[in-house]
Amino acid sequence: MRYGVPTALAALALGLTAALTLTPTAQAGPPPAPAPAAAAAPAQFAHPGVLSSRAQLDFVRTKVQAGEQPWKSAFDAMLASPYGSQSRTPQPRAVVECGSYSNPDNGCSEEREDAIAAYSDALAWYITRDAKYAKKSIELMDAWSAKIKDHTNTNAPLQSGWAGSTWPRAAEIIKHTYTGGWPNQGRFATMLRDVYLPEVINGKPNSNGNWELIMMDAAIGISVHLDDRASYDKAMAIYLGRVPAYFYLASDGAQPAYPPRSTIDTKSELIDYWQGQSTFVDGLAQETCRDFGHTGMAIAATMHVAETSRIQGRDLYPQFKDRFRYALGFHAQYELGAKVPSWLCGGSVTKGIGPATEVGYNALHTRLGVSMENTRKLTEGRRPAGTENHFEAWETLTHAENPN
């Protein structure tokens, strides 16, 4: 199991770090947990509307058809991967058992990877209009909807979040753009409602924050596909409370907010929850000192929800712009090789943020014009971003320089 990039701004390099660093001895007490804003689902959901809108998909299709980069190379890489194989055989299970770090792995990898394959085929269908890809996506979705009944063991909520965030992306494209028919679409929707949604909708308040962010990524996507306004509202409220408790800004106060709905309510518990880190600066994340892999997954899930929310009519990027840009930049500088100061994670970080920057970089830089030099270097230097085989997939293809 992995939990799961980003720009150091010039001001940070010029000494803002010192000005924003607050040690435990300087702390005057815990800040109140931020009150999430009311999260109202749209009166009518936009479809396709999970992670990518029709306008975004049209932009991608135009770029790939014209052979433009980086979209063409990203598309080619997707088709050349095992996820784009037309000979892929789905491997569904009635019960997927996933322990900590996916050990045991009884169907966990197969489920995640079949979901990514279904999404890959759905994207290939939209871009090429070749029905074979739509049919393959449907084959994969139908195989799982005919069989799966439950997720078990300790990682069941997180596994449900990983796969449950990917399935709706595939289903949205196929249901709302493919006219060749999908007879078992209703059964697939029932699978999302009965097998996945109950595992993710209530979150995991005391777990590392990437769990809850990934689970809300799934819950939001499922809610859009099911046109379920009540579940959308519930998931969005959890998300809006978790984001400020996961990514720190100096404006939050002397220490990060306590994770909402959790039992963590003292300074010592909070520092322990933040992996022993007691100096807080703009952009630090709750799992930075754990490793960048889990932090990257959290960043990706956070941006996925923000992107879906924007498609559904509520743009969260202006609200979270500073929190997002600092989080991206803070981690990007160290991923790129900057020296880690002694006050951060004991002077050593575990890198490996994965393909987590593309969506956030596009939203903030391309659409809002925010300068993000380190995030730019990291993102462009790793194109085309592929997949980490869990729930991040082909985001250079779908979101690089996408203005829509």
Side-chain angles (χ1 to χ4, degrees), residues 137-394:
S137 183
I138 290 169
E139 176 192 340
L140 291 158
M141 290 189 284
D142 281 355
W144 280 89
S145 70
K147 193 160 187 177
I148 189 167
K149 300 298 180 185
D150 199 12
H151 295 87
T152 63
N153 215 320
T154 54
N155 255 31
L158 184 58
Q159 173 73 16
S160 300
W162 282 327
S165 65
T166 309
W167 288 126
R169 298 175 207 160
E172 279 287 288
I173 294 171
I174 297 300
K175 179 181 178 180
H176 296 287
T177 72
Y178 177 61
T179 59
W182 183 8
N184 294 315
Q185 192 280 324
R187 188 180 73 197
F188 182 85
T190 298
M191 176 192 78
L192 293 180
R193 180 180 295 108
D194 295 348
V195 178
Y196 291 89
L197 191 58
E199 284 282 1
V200 298
I201 191 62
N202 294 311
K204 289 283 287 185
N206 286 308
S207 294
N208 282 308
N210 82 90
W211 276 55
E212 197 153 85
L213 291 166
I214 292 166
M215 292 164 72
M216 293 311 105
D217 186 5
I220 290 288
I222 291 169
S223 298
V224 170
H225 189 65
L226 299 179
D227 293 301
D228 183 343
R229 299 181 75 250
S231 294
Y232 186 97
D233 285 353
K234 183 174 183 177
M236 187 60 74
I238 293 174
Y239 170 87
L240 292 172
R242 174 59 72 170
V243 169
Y246 191 86
F247 303 104
Y248 176 77
L249 282 181
S251 58
D252 295 335
Q255 67 183 49
Y258 294 118
R261 308 166 3 266
S262 77
T263 59
I264 299 164
D265 58 5
T266 69
K267 183 171 70 175
S268 62
E269 289 175 341
L270 188 74
I271 290 172
D272 184 61
Y273 184 62
W274 280 65
Q275 324 300 322
Q277 179 70 14
S278 58
T279 299
F280 304 105
V281 299
D282 282 336
L284 187 76
Q286 182 253 315
E287 293 177 276
T288 299
C289 294
R290 183 184 184 194
D291 58 64
F292 280 21
H294 292 94
T295 305
M297 283 192 171
I299 288 170
T302 299
M303 302 308 168
H304 294 167
V305 173
E307 201 71 2
T308 296
S309 178
R310 180 177 177 270
I311 294 167
Q312 298 305 328
R314 181 180 181 184
D315 190 351
L316 298 173
Y317 288 110
Q319 174 182 345
F320 287 132
K321 178 176 69 175
D322 288 341
R323 202 173 296 273
F324 288 172
R325 71 185 179 101
Y326 276 112
L328 287 165
F330 182 81
H331 294 88
Q333 65 179 321
Y334 299 116
E335 192 78 8
L336 289 166
K339 181 177 172 58
V340 181
S342 60
W343 57 262
L344 177 62
C345 310
S348 176
V349 296
T350 302
K351 297 190 291 186
I353 203 154
T357 59
E358 197 79 73
V359 174
Y361 177 67
N362 181 65
L364 297 175
H365 177 71
T366 304
R367 294 201 298 249
L368 296 182
V370 177
S371 178
M372 307 173 70
E373 185 58 20
N374 283 336
T375 306
R376 181 194 66 77
K377 289 180 181 178
L378 183 65
T379 303
E380 293 181 356
R382 294 185 174 183
R383 285 176 175 168
T387 176
E388 33 67 275
N389 305 312
H390 289 73
F391 76 122
E392 301 166 57
W394 322 125

